[in-house]
Structures are given as C-alpha cells and as structure tokens.
Amino acid sequence: MIQFSEVSLQRGTQFLLEDADLTIFESQKVGLIGANGAGKSSLFAMIKGELHADTGEIFLPSNRRIAFMAQEVEETQRTALDYCLDGDDWLRKIESKIAQAQERGNDHDHANWLGEFESAQGYTAESRAETLLQGLGFKMTDMRKPVSDFSGGWRIRLNLAKALMCPSDVLLLDEPTNHLDLDAVMWLENWLRQYPGTLLLISHDRDFLDAICSHIVHFYQKRLTVYKGNYSDYERQRAEHLAQQQASHEKQVTKRAHLQQYVDRFRFKADKAKQAQSRLRMLEKMELIGPAHIDSQFEFSIPVAEKTSQLLVNLSQADLGYTLESGEKIIQLGDSNFALRDGQRIGLLGPNGAGKSTLIKSIVGEIDVLSGDRILGENLKIGYFSQHQLSALDLEASPLLHIQRLSPKVLENEIRRYLGGFGFIGDDALRAVKGFSGGEKARLALSLISWTKPNLLVLDEPTNHLDLEMRQALTEALQEFPGAILLVSHDRHLLNSTVDEFYLVADNAIQSFDGDLPAYHSWLQARQANTNQAEKNELSVGKVEKIDRKEERRKAAEAREKLRPLHKRIEQFEKSVLKAQEHLDQISELMSDTALYEAEQRETLQSLLSDEAKWKKALAESEEAWFEAQEALEEAEVLLD
C-alpha cells in the first residue's frame, strides 16, 4: 500500500499539493490525470525518494521493488539488447557473481549462483528482452546496434523497454506512449494489462487509460481525488458530481441572498442588530461552493475554405520515397494510386517505417514524387500539421504576432479572442514562443492551421504533447470540420471519433482497410507472428545471407563518421539542458524559503527572479536546439539506411 497523508508540496510561492490524501492498494492500476504542471511528475519523484514533501507523511511498503521509465537520453555504446537486459539489475549482479566464482575456481559459489540465475529466469532473459524490443518496434537487426546509433525518440523507447525488463512490485510510467506509434501503443497496452504489480501511469491517451486503469487519480485544486474505474468511469462520475455541485450551488445562492437581504435590512436597527450580526457571521463562515463549470480553457472550431474542389489530391501510378545526395532513389511505396475527395475523412494505419509519413509528405508537397503524377484540385488549400511545423515557429514572435503576419488588417481584439480558444489567454498571447512548452507550441501550430481556413487537413500525430482537455477540444473541432481529413495518430479515441474510413500502408503499397482498430490490431499480431516464424526458419536452415563482416564494419564506421557531428551537437545541447535545469532546481529550492519574501530580503528575491528568467530562457533555447538537431539526425539516418 502507498499512502499520502496530509501531504503538501510547494514550488517557489506556489503549492502543487496542499494537505492532500491518497491511498493506493497493491496490484491497483492507477491513472494520474490533471493539467500540465499540476504535480503528477512530482508525485512520482516523491515515491522514488527524489523529492520530499514540505509537510505530511508518505508511507511506502518496505522491500518493494520500484521500476520507472527514465526520461533522459543516455549515451552509450552498449547494444540495444544489452541495454534492455541492464534493466534487470539483480540478474546482472548474478552474472557478475558467476563470473567471479569461475575466475576463483570456487565450485560451491559457482553452483549456488547458477541456482540463483535459474530462479531469476536468466535462461529466458535474452528471449524476453527481444520480445520487449520487438513489441516496441525494434527489428531483430536493431538488437546488436549500439544505443548511440538510435535517435532520441528510439532511445526513449529503449528506456521504456529497460523499465519493463526490471522485475518490480511498483511500476511508474510517465507518458510512455509519447514516442510510440499505434502498433507499439497497442502492444504496450496488452503488456500492462498483464502486469501483476501496482501500476501508476501518467497519460493523456484516454483509450490507453480506459484499457488499463482500475482507478483514476485527479489532480485538481491542489488535492488528489480518487475515482474507481477507468477514464470513462471518471468522466461519468465527475459529471454527476458537478451536476450535484451545481444544484447545491444554486440552493446556496438562494440561501445566501436571503441571509444577505436580512442583514441589509436589519443590521442597523437596534432591536434586530444582534440577529443580523449572527446571520452575517453565518454568511462569512459558509463554505462557498463554486458553480459547476467545464474546466477546459480550450474551445475552438476550424473554419473551412469558401471554395473547394470535388477532387482535392490524386496520386496516380506514383513512386513515393526519397532521393539521396548521390542521386539514388529509395522507393518506399511503388506504383501508388491514392485520391482524396472533398469531405473524406481517412485514417492511415500501418507498421512503423512502412511509409505513412512518406505518403503524407508527398501529398502536401514536402517531397516530390519520384515518378508518376501528383494532381492537385483547383481550389485545394491544405492545413498541414507535423512535428516539423513546431520547429518552424518563430521563437522570438508571440502567438499574436504569428497571426498578425497572416492577416495584418485584422483587429488585435479579434485575434486575441481567437487565440483564447486555444488557451492563449491574456498575456499568454503576447509571450515569445521561445519560452513555450511542447504542448503550447503544438496548440499554436494548430491555431495557425485553423486560421488559414483549409479544405484539407493533413495531420501527422497532432496529439503529441497535448493534454487530455486539448485533445478533447481538437476531437470536437475535427468532428465539426466539414472539409477533408487525412490523419495519422496513435490516439485511438481521436481516430475513432473523427475518421470514417481507414487505409493501410504496408508492404510497399497503399490499400483500403476494411475493418476497425481492433481488426487492425489482430492483423498486426498475425503479421508479427508470421515475421517471427520466418526469421526463425531462416536462421534454422542457415539461409542467412553471408556478409563480409569486414566490409560491414567499414560501412558502419563510415555511417557513424557522417553522423558524428550531429551526435556531438546533440550531446552539447543535452549538457546545456541539464545545466539550465540544475540552476533552475537550485533557484526553486532557494525560493521555497519563506524568509525570502520578507521586506529586507527584497533585493535577494529580485536577483533570484532575474536568474530564474535567464535560466528559463536558456533552457527553452537549448531544448529547441536539441529538438532540431534530433530531427536532423533522424532525417540523416533515413537517408543513410
């Protein structure tokens, strides 16, 4: 059992939690939800012992093994398989003891540790690690690659695999689906359903929470409220609670009005003053029940272009792929025929790397078709969202200025009202983008797309970095959008709620998929089983193609040499991010001292606030530079492959 009793946690002058209580029982699967910055990750840090509550007590069961998914990107030359196996630190210790016993010739210790190795399921460890890595999208050929060869997103997958490999009683996962595609999300969901320990999960994916969680903990108004059931159950229970709250509020408003009327009428009359004062005290002590309201600050629609074409985009007998610097053409989708018509709402499915992003980039014109025809409708107006769009934002400009550049003649008040629907309220509309989080940048990119009034929305993983409230607002906006939609997403709720048909991108082809997402999951499982069996058969009969190992090492060395400058840049930016974060943590610790806010400490406080602003800016710039370098590395790796 994990228990928080009257726990308060303060960051600077703000309380994240205040006298909060929470009890989590063994084997429960608990989803943690709440606004960004509400304190979900801080709760994880307290459970891990990295952060201590300001007041209150936290009770953790003794001798409980806690596993968690690291968020940092580790640089190492260990292979992906070994890195995953390192998650089982007890098994690694046993292996070390076996080796030491062999070196000393101690047969007794050697036999003892071999018994421990069997008890720790050591003989199946490599097979289990391979299964984890394959489930998360790694190929068998990736298993022996060094971790340093993988891009940032894939290294995060390795961190997830390492956490799952660790034998644990308590598993903490913070946004595990952020860097996963739909295939890996479905696999992880199945794995977590079978996990026997206590699971604490931070996620903004409602279908993921629905499939796994037995309880939901809502971070709201510095308190922790537990709801029994999954996310859909939470929504229903909270709606009922808010309805009751509204009824209580309306009843209380009537009662308060009656009391106030009595006070106003009689408080200055001698014979009634005593009764009036008692009612006034009652009025002051009465706990005010806030009116029920929808908490989300996001509410927007996506207007459509006034003119449109019946046929928006048509790819005819087109080869889709990339052209290398050498001039060599890499075809991912050959002889492709694909058309988008006005009002169509299509979701793209397919294994990772099969060509979904290539198809999207070919449609929007980001890359040219290698052969064949790409025909555009006369009135085509595309609204395109991808993670690349976030790096294209002007870091020095505000959301207001971004819109003003698109429409210089529109009044500022109108633009600010529009941006308010995307959560940029008040001064947030005037802040420079360089200080924005990933979620804020994604909201701004979506607002810019919406402002242009497209008739075709092409969205490649639009929910990355978005919280539950913004995802819901986007879902509702897409449901009402009358134009055409082409969508790639690992968010099944978004797919199910906004598209009418699916197309499958696999095996170098695009074809209509006659089925729903559960049917696609079944298709994936059958495909993976066939692939695994084919690999085993190929290995068993010795049909593995013989490769000149010396030549292979030479080519690998050449590829690493080409990527070395990018790796160095990324490493530099990572160090800058860590340095800035360390300074901010130190400042936060200093600012938690209440004595700092006394009059004689004013200059010290001002200095700390100035330093905090400086390091926040440095952190934002370093994170942005790191993101751009990662994008460049991933693109370079695609070309080298």
Side-chain angles (χ1 to χ4, degrees):
M1 183 175 72
I2 299 172
Q3 187 172 30
F4 285 62
S5 178
E6 298 183 347
V7 168
S8 295
L9 181 66
Q10 189 174 4
R11 279 290 164 264
T13 60
Q14 299 294 319
F15 276 94
L16 296 179
L17 297 174
E18 196 166 10
D19 296 328
D21 296 314
L22 174 66
T23 301
I24 298 172
F25 293 97
E26 189 172 349
S27 299
Q28 286 185 343
K29 292 181 170 60
V30 181
L32 308 183
I33 64 172
N36 289 333
K40 302 184 291 296
S41 297
S42 296
L43 185 139
F44 274 15
M46 286 190 284
I47 292 175
K48 290 187 289 183
E50 298 173 351
L51 195 63
H52 300 287
D54 293 302
T55 61
E57 293 183 286
I58 302 173
F59 302 96
L60 298 172
S62 59
N63 300 320
R64 283 289 182 240
R65 299 168 297 177
I66 299 177
F68 58 91
M69 175 184 164
Q71 297 297 316
E72 67 274 9
V73 180
E74 186 171 333
E75 179 75 26
T76 176
Q77 291 301 308
R78 292 185 67 74
T79 67
L81 183 60
D82 282 337
Y83 186 78
C84 179
L85 286 165
D86 290 344
D88 193 340
D89 52 0
W90 173 237
L91 183 62
R92 287 305 199 199
K93 182 178 180 180
I94 293 172
E95 290 174 340
S96 176
K97 293 293 185 182
I98 291 173
Q100 291 172 15
Q102 284 179 318
E103 288 177 5
R104 295 193 304 266
N106 190 326
D107 293 339
H108 179 269
D109 280 358
H110 185 251
N112 177 62
W113 286 110
L114 281 176
E116 291 289 343
F117 186 77
E118 184 174 5
S119 298
Q121 298 180 305
Y123 293 107
T124 63
E126 189 167 310
S127 174
R128 288 185 284 116
E130 288 177 349
T131 299
L132 286 174
L133 290 169
Q134 283 183 309
L136 293 174
F138 292 89
K139 302 174 184 176
M140 287 300 295
T141 53
D142 294 330
M143 304 292 174
R144 305 297 173 181
K145 288 183 179 179
V147 173
S148 58
D149 278 8
F150 294 96
S151 63
W154 285 94
R155 291 190 202 178
I156 294 296
R157 293 195 192 203
L158 286 172
N159 282 344
L160 176 56
K162 188 176 182 180
L164 301 184
M165 189 67 194
C166 177
S168 60
D169 303 298
V170 179
L171 178 59
L172 310 177
L173 295 180
D174 189 348
E175 294 288 358
T177 64
N178 260 5
H179 295 276
L180 302 183
D181 53 22
L182 181 58
D183 310 4
V185 169
M186 289 178 163
W187 177 88
L188 178 61
E189 179 183 290
N190 186 58
W191 194 96
L192 292 177
R193 276 202 298 260
Q194 300 175 49
Y195 175 68
T198 304
L199 172 67
L200 275 72
L201 170 67
I202 299 172
S203 178
H204 295 307
D205 186 331
R206 55 180 296 153
D207 275 28
F208 193 66
L209 293 168
D210 264 353
I212 296 168
C213 294
S214 62
H215 295 76
I216 296 293
V217 173
H218 187 203
F219 284 67
Y220 185 65
Q221 294 183 343
K222 306 169 191 175
R223 299 296 176 92
L224 302 172
T225 305
V226 180
Y227 294 83
K228 187 175 182 181
N230 60 19
Y231 184 80
S232 293
D233 295 325
Y234 150 78
E235 279 193 322
R236 177 182 52 77
Q237 293 172 50
R238 180 161 166 75
E240 292 173 354
H241 171 73
L242 289 175
Q244 294 170 359
Q245 183 180 0
Q246 180 64 27
S248 299
H249 169 73
E250 291 172 356
K251 183 177 180 180
Q252 192 178 64
V253 167
T254 302
K255 185 176 181 180
R256 286 177 61 85
H258 177 73
L259 289 171
Q260 188 67 55
Q261 184 181 21
Y262 189 96
V263 168
D264 292 342
R265 184 179 178 186
F266 297 115
R267 66 189 305 175
F268 299 113
K269 292 187 177 182
D271 58 336
K272 298 287 187 178
K274 189 174 181 179
Q275 294 94 318
Q277 288 300 318
S278 67
R279 284 165 174 75
L280 184 60
R281 287 193 295 271
M282 186 190 304
L283 196 62
E284 291 170 347
K285 291 180 179 180
M286 184 183 293
E287 182 181 357
L288 184 63
I289 302 172
H293 61 280
I294 299 174
D295 298 318
S296 176
Q297 58 183 319
F298 313 118
E299 185 177 357
F300 62 91
S301 60
I302 304 175
V304 71
E306 294 178 3
K307 294 183 179 180
T308 189
S309 306
Q310 185 59 36
L311 182 64
L312 297 172
V313 179
N314 185 37
L315 298 176
S316 177
Q317 296 181 318
D319 288 336
L320 310 181
Y322 297 87
T323 302
L324 303 180
E325 290 182 4
S326 63
E328 181 185 358
K329 294 181 178 180
I330 306 298
I331 298 175
Q332 284 189 285
L333 300 168
D335 197 25
S336 303
N337 295 293
F338 183 76
L340 271 164
R341 293 176 172 79
D342 185 37
Q344 272 192 297
R345 310 166 75 85
I346 295 174
L348 290 182
L349 306 175
N352 183 62
K356 298 187 295 294
S357 291
T358 299
L359 173 58
I360 280 180
K361 289 177 181 178
S362 300
I363 286 172
V364 302
E366 194 168 283
I367 58 176
D368 296 326
V369 298
L370 301 179
S371 67
D373 296 316
R374 172 177 174 262
I375 303 169
L376 306 180
E378 181 182 358
N379 297 305
L380 174 65
K381 197 169 185 181
I382 296 176
Y384 174 44
F385 179 95
S386 76
Q387 297 306 305
H388 296 284
Q389 310 304 110
L390 306 191
S391 58
L393 295 169
D394 183 348
L395 298 182
E396 299 299 325
S398 66
L400 178 68
L401 182 54
H402 276 85
I403 299 289
Q404 285 176 328
R405 287 171 177 172
L406 295 174
S407 303
K409 296 182 180 180
V410 177
L411 294 176
E412 180 178 322
N413 285 343
E414 183 179 342
I415 296 175
R416 294 186 70 148
R417 280 196 301 272
Y418 170 79
L419 288 170
F422 290 85
F424 299 108
I425 299 169
D427 290 342
D428 285 345
L430 306 177
R431 288 168 51 211
V433 171
K434 61 186 176 185
F436 280 12
S437 65
E440 288 171 322
K441 289 178 181 176
R443 285 192 272 119
L444 176 55
L446 287 168
S447 73
L448 296 176
I449 290 169
S450 176
W451 184 265
T452 62
K453 298 182 179 179
N455 50 29
L456 169 60
L457 285 173
V458 180
L459 308 174
D460 190 357
E461 295 292 357
T463 61
N464 281 354
H465 307 296
L466 298 183
D467 62 18
L468 279 161
E469 298 292 350
M470 182 59 188
R471 289 188 186 203
Q472 182 60 28
L474 176 61
T475 299
E476 293 173 3
L478 292 180
Q479 286 173 336
E480 297 174 0
F481 179 66
I485 297 174
L486 182 64
L487 174 64
V488 174
S489 179
H490 66 259
D491 189 317
R492 284 160 293 171
H493 177 71
L494 183 68
L495 284 168
N496 280 322
S497 302
T498 58
V499 305
D500 300 325
E501 54 185 320
F502 292 109
Y503 272 72
L504 181 64
V505 180
D507 303 321
N508 305 109
I510 310 165
Q511 57 184 330
S512 177
F513 183 75
D514 187 18
D516 54 11
L517 291 179
Y520 172 64
H521 188 209
S522 299
W523 178 87
L524 277 175
Q525 290 178 313
R527 176 189 174 88
Q528 187 61 51
N530 291 336
T531 301
N532 293 345
Q533 188 59 49
E535 287 181 350
K536 289 178 182 178
N537 292 341
E538 189 176 351
L539 290 170
S540 64
V541 299
K543 290 183 180 178
V544 179
E545 182 182 357
K546 294 182 179 179
I547 301 173
D548 185 333
R549 297 298 175 190
K550 186 175 180 180
E551 179 66 14
E552 185 184 52
R553 287 194 295 272
R554 185 188 67 78
K555 290 181 178 179
E558 284 183 357
R560 285 196 296 272
E561 193 61 33
K562 290 179 181 178
L563 297 177
R564 190 181 303 278
L566 284 172
H567 281 296
K568 285 184 177 179
R569 286 179 60 199
I570 290 170
E571 187 176 350
Q572 290 172 351
F573 294 140
E574 286 173 356
K575 289 178 180 178
S576 298
V577 168
L578 289 174
K579 181 180 178 181
Q581 191 59 61
E582 286 174 2
H583 279 283
L584 286 171
D585 289 343
Q586 292 171 4
I587 292 169
S588 178
E589 187 70 28
L590 291 170
M591 291 178 67
S592 65
D593 185 359
T594 54
L596 188 64
Y597 301 93
E598 296 176 1
E600 58 268 22
Q601 296 290 330
R602 183 176 180 181
E603 289 186 6
T604 304
L605 177 60
Q606 289 296 329
S607 177
L608 284 174
L609 289 171
S610 177
D611 286 346
E612 182 183 42
K614 180 184 75 174
W615 286 111
K616 279 185 176 180
K617 179 182 178 181
L619 178 62
E621 290 174 348
S622 298
E623 286 179 337
E624 183 63 30
W626 180 88
F627 177 79
E628 291 177 356
Q630 287 285 3
E631 290 284 330
L633 178 62
E634 290 178 12
E635 291 176 5
E637 286 176 333
V638 169
L639 293 176
L640 288 173
D641 287 343

